[in-house]
Amino acid sequence: FLPEIRNEKVITPVMPTYARADLAFEKGDGPYLFAQDGRRFLDFGSGIAVNTLGHAHPHLVKMLSEQVAKLWHTSNLYRIPGQEKLAERLVANTFADTVFFCNSGAEANEAGIKMLRRYQHVSGTPEKNRILVATNAFHGRTLGTLTAGYSDKYREGFGPMPEGFDRVAFGNLNELRNAITPNTGGILIEPIQGEGGICRPPEGYLEGVRKAADEFGMLVMFDEVQTGIGRTGKLFAYEWSDMVPDIVSSAKGLGGGFPVGALLASEKAAVALPAGMHGTTFGGNPLAMAAANAVLDEVLKPGFMDHVLDMSQLIRDGLDAIARKHPGFIAEVRGMGLLLGMKTVPTNVDVVAKLRELNLLTVPAGDNVVRLLPPLNITKSHVDEALEAIDACAAALTK
Ligand code: PLP
């Protein structure tokens, strides 16, 4: 049986780091994906909260096509007008004074972790190099972000891991305050946990985090890789609270399907990374910036966020009706905007598989949650279609 003995390779050319569904798509149109075998799927996963405007959105296609014909990449050795435009728009619409561009969520978080640490270094308190992180957190798959994240499974065998993270229960302000030592310099949390199961902290928690940080000379960084770019019905989820963070990471929805990451920061925090202290070859290249600017053209239109919230309410109302009709299927509905989590009674993996059979794509998360992350520009007819599939799934799995 051993491959060496049979002198045969069993590994696939694509490194098998994912247990993939046996399904390949060849075309997308709005919230629909078309498989190679002709089946049409309603995409309520959006490539894990990425396709902000669905697939092949005409404005994105136009802006990217124009840029493709002009200029792809120049490096950060030169000014990049698309970067300057995107940064100005993010600054104008958030707490941030300045933005660093990269290519993914994990990279944005790495940059943020470096900024948290080095802020204390340049402030004359280099001993404050430890960062408080939360249970059930997910921040990415690099060594640093894996250490900040909760899952032991994801770290298994990859040690030694970087040092300097202390974990507290997400949402528990007392525990957070008690965990602060003279060596604590920053707090890194998701304002709503995504992979952990679409978990919102209790009322007042984020404000309490801010207060504790101010009291003890610490910075607050939010990982908004999943929650940002309108997903919750605000450009960034922190806007739902009565506080502002010092640093916010963004990715996923920012490029609408093109890999773009960003680290937003206040001037106070960003002095930690002067010229030469952080970098990237690809980050913020003209092609990526064309994609992200095109996404913002749509997301920043008046009424866009109201639409997200309207669609969210329709889904929630529909899920409530399904929960009443099929007891023993939905345990709880969580989240905000179109970052919705349906905790199910059957296993979430079974529900996601059954929904896929019914041509609805969703994404599992922790705590037995099925994530509903449709493109933000879906309409009522798409919601109705999704609810019909969820109703049929509930009927099938509670029989
Ligand atoms: N942070 C959060 C909250 C995420 O949900 C994810 C991805 O799921 C990441 C970071 C990592 O982003 P990426 O996969 O782009 O590195």
Side-chain angles (χ1 to χ4, degrees):
F1 262 92
L2 290 172
E4 303 87 79
I5 294 168
R6 292 168 61 205
N7 200 20
E8 223 175 71
K9 286 200 182 92
V10 293
I11 198 160
T12 50
V14 174
M15 202 178 285
T17 57
Y18 277 86
R20 297 168 193 269
D22 185 17
L23 190 57
F25 303 106
E26 62 177 9
K27 189 175 98 163
D29 184 11
Y32 294 105
L33 278 171
F34 297 85
Q36 283 174 333
D37 61 10
R39 273 182 300 161
R40 187 182 85 161
F41 292 82
L42 181 58
D43 186 5
F44 266 45
S46 299
I48 324 184
V50 167
N51 301 99
T52 310
L53 302 170
H55 303 278
H57 187 279
H59 183 62
L60 265 67
V61 170
K62 178 172 177 281
M63 300 310 277
L64 260 178
S65 306
E66 283 176 15
Q67 190 62 47
V68 161
K70 273 197 298 199
L71 184 64
W72 296 16
H73 178 84
T74 57
S75 88
N76 284 299
L77 298 176
Y78 311 99
R79 284 180 50 201
I80 298 175
Q83 227 181 74
E84 291 169 12
K85 178 176 173 187
L86 184 61
E88 278 163 19
R89 298 169 94 184
L90 290 170
V91 165
N93 286 283
T94 67
F95 76 99
D97 299 313
T98 187
V99 187
F100 171 82
F101 293 107
C102 52
N103 313 287
S104 68
E107 266 181 89
N109 284 335
E110 283 285 339
I113 291 165
K114 287 171 75 176
M115 187 178 277
L116 282 178
R117 286 188 176 174
R118 203 160 187 284
Y119 166 80
Q120 299 295 350
H121 172 84
V122 300
S123 300
T125 44
E127 73 284 1
K128 289 164 82 83
N129 55 18
R130 301 191 69 84
I131 298 170
L132 290 178
V133 292
T135 53
N136 296 316
F138 182 79
H139 299 297
R141 298 286 201 145
T142 60
L143 287 174
T145 56
L146 272 182
T147 312
Y150 186 52
S151 172
D152 283 333
K153 192 181 107 197
Y154 292 162
R155 278 188 288 268
E156 190 191 306
F158 292 135
M161 306 305 286
E163 246 298 293
F165 296 90
D166 297 309
R167 196 166 310 279
V168 293
F170 181 68
N172 186 329
L173 205 50
N174 284 336
E175 193 175 319
L176 180 127
R177 290 184 69 94
N178 287 336
I180 296 168
T181 73
N183 300 114
T184 313
I187 301 168
L188 164 58
I189 49 170
E190 297 153 85
I192 301 174
Q193 293 189 321
E195 303 298 311
I198 315 294
C199 302
R200 283 173 67 182
E203 204 63 37
Y205 177 70
L206 300 178
E207 292 81 357
V209 166
R210 175 76 272 171
K211 196 158 164 276
D214 291 344
E215 221 174 300
F216 295 96
M218 309 188 297
L219 293 184
V220 178
M221 170 173 165
F222 281 174
D223 176 344
E224 293 232 30
V225 167
Q226 191 156 157
T227 53
I229 316 302
R231 183 56 51 193
T232 69
K234 298 270 191 195
L235 189 58
F236 287 99
Y238 77 82
E239 295 169 52
W240 289 109
S241 72
D242 208 6
M243 55 80 72
V244 288
D246 303 290
I247 305 173
V248 162
S249 58
S250 177
K252 286 190 182 284
L254 181 56
F258 199 93
V260 187
L263 190 72
L264 289 70
S266 65
E267 183 169 15
K268 173 181 156 182
V271 295
L273 297 183
M277 289 315 295
H278 193 58
T280 160
T281 298
F282 292 118
N285 85 11
L287 204 51
M289 296 299 96
N293 273 308
V295 168
L296 283 199
D297 288 343
E298 297 297 317
V299 168
L300 294 177
K301 275 186 181 161
F304 188 90
M305 300 301 171
D306 292 335
H307 178 77
V308 171
L309 295 175
D310 288 348
M311 294 302 108
S312 174
Q313 195 57 52
L314 282 181
I315 297 175
R316 279 179 167 276
D317 292 346
L319 293 178
D320 284 350
I322 291 169
R324 282 193 300 274
K325 185 170 158 198
H326 304 281
F329 181 68
I330 296 177
E332 192 186 339
V333 177
R334 303 166 172 176
M336 296 183 84
L338 293 173
L339 180 72
L340 291 171
M342 175 171 79
K343 182 167 172 157
T344 54
V345 179
T347 72
N348 58 350
V349 178
D350 287 348
V351 173
V352 168
K354 186 72 198 171
L355 288 172
R356 197 166 57 230
E357 257 176 63
L358 293 161
N359 294 349
L360 178 67
L361 302 177
T362 57
V363 187
D367 200 25
N368 210 45
V369 162
V370 175
R371 270 177 289 178
L372 303 175
L373 311 164
L376 304 184
N377 57 351
I378 47 159
T379 61
K380 181 173 182 308
S381 69
H382 306 128
V383 171
D384 291 343
E385 197 180 325
L387 290 170
E388 220 171 279
I390 296 167
D391 184 75
C393 174
L397 295 184
T398 55
K399 271 211 294 269

